[in-house]
Amino acid sequence: MAPAPAEPGGMDGYLGLRDVLVDLDLGAARGGGDGGTGGGGGFTVCFWLYLSGSAGPSSVILHQITAGGDNKLPFLALSEGNKLLLLPLLRLHKEAPGTSSYPWTDTTNISDANECPLEKWIHIGCEVTENVMRLHIDGDLVADAHLCSIPSEPANQDDAYQICLVGNSDKVEGYVYNIQVLSMLGTVHEQYTENPPSKLSIEYSCCDGIEVGDDGIWCIVGGKASCRRNFIMEVVLTNAFGEPVNKDTQIVASLVYADNGAVVEKSRDDAEPPLLIAFEGLEYPAKSRPLPILRGRALFKLKISQLSSKCDNKLFHIYFSTLHAQKYPFLEASSKPVCCISRGRPNRPMGPRKRTSSATVGEIQSVNNHQGFGRDGKVNACSQSHDLVCLHPSKFLKVEVDGIETHKMVPQLLVCLQSEQDRKMVLETPSVTRTDSTASDSDSIDGGSSWSGSDRDEVETFSDAMVFRYCLEGTCERSTFLKDAASSINVDDLIALANQVSLYSGCSHHRNQIIISKQLLEEGADTWSIISKNKERALWSSAVPEIVAKFMDISRSANRGLSEQDLEVLRGIAGCVDDLGRGEFDRLWYWLYLVAASLSKDKINNLWARTEPVWIEGFITKVEAENALRSSRELLRKLGTFILRFPTTRSWPHPDAGSLVVTYVGSDNSIHHRLLSLDFSAARAGSLQDLLLQEPELLQLGRQAH
């Protein structure tokens, strides 16, 4: 008999192939004729299948064995081209394979036309009657065959009707989820959509504080407590359709060797754990502090104390897994190879954030003309460097960050195509002034010096070394620096720092993030004081009204506030459930404040206010945006269909925080994501919606009305 159906939302129902054992009653298939759904006999075998990368051609996945028989013959196998083959059943079909039938492709079989994917969940549905067998893949019928039935045998009736399906226990590493035998036909698609399995993966677009070398190896600064730096990684639990899964599951992180997967142990009994996790301002051994999955995500703030140089220069992986005793490859995730270096070594710019080009003359003039950010929450001249859009690749620097390519110094509307490759930056054309000198200069910075902002005199001087360090660090370190600096210096000093960072980094978008830091932090502290009533934590339900009120005030949104879906996204960004602390509020605030500030600009504010049709979606994730552009799970909507959204992975002081992204179906029939560059220097007449529709790649809104 088949195992009990897996419960929706649970983590049970997974079986290794070697543990699969299912009884089939061939009597149920008698009288099924052509297998119509309206009546007659027949049954359906449904399950999800995950094959490891070692599964090769001509491998048997499920065997069939007759009651009292010893021979294992194939029921489901891979052909020489790694295509799925379904073979007729013993004692039911005359075309069933025999012991001398190898290769199986020479016998009657039902074959999928496409190669079977490996290391990915696929849904298998097998409908069986005495005259027909059908093979369904991911809910769709891919092949069928009309067969000749064997007359039923009155003698030994029970044994004659019994067939067992058993998994391959030898050469194929694979897993099955929620295998069921149903006494009816026509239910495969329903089973496909009802309870999909889960897969754990790393959201590389959210990683921060990590340098990426030209060879793809991550360089993370670690070692002793005074030198090691935080880095952030986010893992996501999604179902087979790529949708976030909210399951009662905890994820633990550990440090393993890249060559053999062995856990990195402490070098001596009194040494620190190799991998540490920051939790509520304290550090703990990462293995002792698993994090819960909240709305499909868990955010890890980690540090490494074990240097690669102390481990024979070996590389590491950051390894994530569930706490289940049984380990499954689809519920595990490993980072790219990691080299843990000391702070004393020359610092290289982090790959995704590396800036090898500086400002042009036009940028410098634009920077010097900005004034500041209004105290009333409205954007004035300083932030209008982002006031209009443009849509063609830049002739200057292209940087791929968080899965969305962004070009700096662009005089057009949409800034660049998304790439699913590793985040990297490409210098397309040398800029007018500095090139790689910024990187070489940074190498001369004293690796042991501190730039945390605790030394007030040093903060106020903003030496070249400190500015370079700011340009090279990740978002987490930049926010730490700005939080300390903004509390002790005036706005003029912040503007001076903003000008220097914009010049040295070649990215004027840094400027607004620095200038607004003082106001962002002050208003955030005031809002938290109101919400928490001077307590350590506050109920989410009591925080929502004040958050919505602040959002509408800053964004100048009189009619459109935040929907329930928007609030759920905000709660996911904060990483809280029923209540939140200051750290969780800050994560929410650093994202929401920049979005509200962008919406306060007239051109964007007008779009936000329009709801028939909806021009700017509420707060949605990248996955939700892509799903909105699909007419089904497999088919995309019309070419040129697009929606506007705010990327949920960009928070202050990321240079693109608060920016709009266009997600659209491109001419190559795939989904693309482009960042809107709101550039006042290239302002053009007309409304923003008219400018968008003038772009040849954008033809119609994805959602015409709600």
Side-chain angles (χ1 to χ4, degrees):
M1 59 182 296
E7 294 183 7
M11 295 300 289
D12 298 322
Y14 299 105
L15 292 172
L17 272 182
R18 64 179 65 249
D19 299 319
V20 173
L21 176 61
V22 178
D23 295 328
L24 301 180
D25 182 4
L26 300 186
R30 298 290 181 182
D34 291 336
T37 59
F43 61 83
T44 303
V45 181
C46 285
F47 57 93
W48 286 89
L49 177 66
Y50 182 97
L51 295 176
S52 70
S54 62
S58 303
S59 299
V60 177
I61 299 169
L62 293 178
H63 294 279
Q64 51 178 314
I65 304 176
T66 59
D70 296 328
N71 292 325
K72 293 182 178 179
L73 296 173
F75 173 71
L76 186 68
L78 292 176
S79 70
E80 293 181 356
N82 255 28
K83 298 177 181 179
L84 282 172
L85 298 178
L86 180 65
L87 290 98
L89 281 172
L90 298 169
R91 294 186 176 176
L92 182 64
H93 303 125
K94 291 181 180 180
E95 296 85 353
T99 54
S100 59
S101 299
Y102 186 82
W104 317 120
T105 50
D106 294 340
T107 65
T108 300
N109 63 77
I110 306 169
S111 175
D112 185 12
N114 299 314
E115 185 175 343
C116 179
L118 302 180
E119 298 182 348
K120 178 182 178 181
W121 283 111
I122 60 171
H123 188 265
I124 309 293
C126 310
E127 291 185 317
V128 180
T129 74
E130 61 182 350
N131 297 120
V132 173
M133 289 186 72
R134 301 188 182 96
L135 175 62
H136 298 254
I137 305 293
D138 287 342
D140 295 327
L141 177 65
V142 297
D144 60 8
H146 289 266
L147 306 169
C148 297
S149 64
I150 297 176
S152 59
E153 303 176 11
N156 301 320
Q157 188 79 7
D158 292 339
D159 288 346
Y161 284 166
Q162 295 303 311
I163 293 286
C164 289
L165 299 182
V166 295
N168 191 326
S169 59
D170 299 325
K171 300 179 180 179
V172 180
E173 181 186 359
Y175 301 87
V176 166
Y177 175 73
N178 199 23
I179 187 167
Q180 297 185 65
V181 179
L182 307 172
S183 59
M184 62 180 68
L185 305 177
T187 61
V188 174
H189 194 273
E190 179 183 342
Q191 296 299 317
Y192 165 62
T193 59
E194 191 173 66
N195 185 17
S198 301
K199 181 175 175 60
L200 190 71
S201 59
I202 296 172
E203 182 62 80
Y204 286 102
S205 65
C206 295
C207 295
D208 196 12
I210 301 167
E211 300 177 5
V212 182
D214 294 336
D215 53 4
I217 295 176
W218 285 5
C219 292
I220 296 177
V221 177
K224 58 185 180 180
S226 60
C227 297
R228 59 183 178 239
R229 301 178 188 169
N230 288 317
F231 63 97
I232 294 174
M233 296 185 67
E234 185 173 50
V235 295
V236 294
L237 186 66
T238 56
N239 61 23
F241 307 133
E243 301 165 340
V245 175
N246 191 22
K247 293 186 176 181
D248 185 15
T249 304
Q250 290 188 315
I251 307 297
V252 65
S254 55
L255 191 68
V256 302
Y257 289 108
D259 56 352
N260 58 17
V263 176
V264 178
E265 302 291 350
K266 294 193 296 184
S267 57
R268 58 183 189 276
D269 291 341
D270 59 345
E272 292 183 292
L275 187 66
L276 300 163
I277 185 170
F279 187 78
E280 294 184 348
L282 300 176
E283 292 182 356
Y284 301 90
K287 292 195 293 185
S288 70
R289 282 280 175 169
L291 296 184
I293 288 287
L294 299 174
R295 282 165 293 282
R297 297 175 177 271
L299 189 69
F300 288 80
K301 188 174 183 180
L302 303 168
K303 291 183 179 180
I304 301 178
S305 67
Q306 188 73 283
L307 296 173
S308 292
S309 60
K310 303 295 184 181
C311 300
D312 299 326
N313 290 320
K314 289 185 176 181
L315 298 177
F316 305 131
H317 283 305
I318 311 298
Y319 167 76
F320 300 93
S321 64
T322 63
L323 292 180
H324 292 82
Q326 176 66 47
K327 298 297 183 183
Y328 298 108
F330 44 85
L331 295 179
E332 302 172 339
S334 293
S335 71
K336 297 176 183 179
V338 173
C339 178
C340 183
I341 61 175
S342 67
R343 193 169 183 176
R345 295 186 182 186
N347 291 322
R348 290 183 298 165
M350 179 177 174
R353 293 166 178 82
K354 183 163 60 175
R355 304 287 188 249
T356 60
S357 174
S358 189
T360 63
V361 173
E363 276 189 293
I364 298 171
Q365 292 174 345
S366 174
V367 164
N368 290 336
N369 289 333
H370 293 323
Q371 301 301 318
F373 192 88
R375 177 62 193 167
D376 58 357
K378 301 177 179 60
V379 182
N380 60 20
C382 92
S383 58
Q384 290 180 356
S385 62
H386 297 189
D387 199 31
L388 205 25
V389 205
C390 57
L391 177 69
H392 300 288
S394 165
K395 65 178 181 179
F396 294 104
L397 186 66
K398 181 177 77 176
V399 186
E400 298 176 15
V401 184
D402 295 354
I404 305 171
E405 295 179 6
T406 61
H407 290 78
K408 309 309 178 187
M409 266 312 296
V410 206
Q412 304 94 6
L413 180 57
L414 283 182
V415 208
C416 53
L417 290 170
Q418 178 190 21
S419 171
E420 293 298 338
Q421 301 173 352
D422 296 340
R423 296 182 301 166
K424 60 186 178 181
M425 48 85 57
V426 182
L427 187 63
E428 294 184 332
T429 304
S431 66
V432 176
T433 55
R434 292 176 178 81
T435 55
D436 289 339
S437 61
T438 56
S440 60
D441 288 347
S442 69
D443 291 346
S444 65
I445 299 173
D446 180 8
S449 65
S450 172
W451 75 294
S452 64
S454 58
D455 186 341
R456 304 300 185 196
D457 292 335
E458 186 180 16
V459 169
E460 292 175 358
T461 61
F462 292 127
S463 65
D464 285 347
M466 296 184 65
V467 175
F468 275 121
R469 184 67 60 82
Y470 183 94
C471 296
L472 301 179
E473 288 287 11
T475 303
C476 180
E477 286 76 13
R478 289 172 182 166
S479 66
T480 300
F481 172 74
L482 289 176
K483 281 188 284 188
D484 198 75
S487 64
S488 59
I489 62 177
N490 57 38
V491 174
D492 290 338
D493 290 331
L494 280 177
I495 293 175
L497 173 64
N499 288 342
Q500 287 180 289
V501 170
S502 296
L503 179 65
Y504 292 173
S505 66
C507 174
S508 60
H509 296 182
H510 282 292
R511 190 176 193 278
N512 189 52
Q513 306 293 329
I514 296 172
I515 292 175
I516 69 169
S517 57
K518 197 174 189 71
Q519 180 177 343
L520 177 148
L521 294 168
E522 289 176 355
E523 292 198 22
D526 293 341
T527 305
W528 172 247
S529 179
I530 295 172
I531 290 173
S532 65
K533 297 179 174 58
N534 297 321
K535 296 180 181 178
E536 291 187 359
R537 302 189 70 81
L539 290 175
W540 172 256
S541 57
S542 64
V544 165
E546 184 63 26
I547 292 172
V548 173
K550 293 297 293 185
F551 168 80
M552 296 185 70
D553 178 56
I554 297 171
S555 64
R556 299 190 294 125
S557 176
N559 300 319
R560 184 177 176 184
L562 300 178
S563 66
E564 288 297 324
Q565 176 184 328
D566 297 337
L567 293 173
E568 280 302 304
V569 172
L570 286 179
R571 189 152 62 169
I573 292 172
C576 65
V577 183
D578 296 326
D579 62 348
L580 73 166
R582 180 61 191 271
E584 295 155 330
F585 171 79
D586 284 346
R587 283 196 294 270
L588 178 154
W589 186 255
Y590 296 164
W591 185 83
L592 182 65
Y593 190 91
L594 271 298
V595 169
S598 293
L599 289 173
S600 69
K601 303 170 188 177
D602 289 339
K603 289 182 179 292
I604 302 181
N605 191 272
N606 292 337
L607 280 189
W608 175 256
R610 296 187 60 175
T611 56
E612 292 186 2
V614 173
W615 275 87
I616 300 179
E617 292 291 326
F619 303 158
I620 60 174
T621 64
K622 175 183 173 183
V623 171
E624 291 169 339
E626 293 179 346
N627 289 339
L629 293 179
R630 300 182 187 275
S631 55
S632 68
R633 297 193 190 278
E634 296 80 19
L635 300 177
L636 295 176
R637 299 175 68 179
K638 182 180 177 181
L639 300 184
T641 305
F642 70 94
I643 61 176
L644 296 174
R645 64 184 178 88
F646 290 101
T648 55
T649 58
R650 309 291 180 87
S651 297
W652 175 85
H654 192 287
D656 296 325
S659 299
L660 274 172
V661 166
V662 176
T663 299
Y664 68 99
V665 182
S667 57
D668 57 352
N669 204 36
S670 61
I671 294 178
H672 299 265
H673 306 268
R674 284 191 170 187
L675 187 71
L676 288 180
S677 177
L678 306 173
D679 195 337
F680 180 74
S681 63
R684 290 145 54 185
S687 65
L688 188 54
Q689 54 264 42
D690 291 338
L691 294 175
L692 286 166
L693 291 176
Q694 288 173 14
E695 296 299 329
E697 295 170 287
L698 307 181
L699 301 178
Q700 66 178 27
L701 277 172
R703 305 195 195 193
Q704 294 298 319
H706 275 343

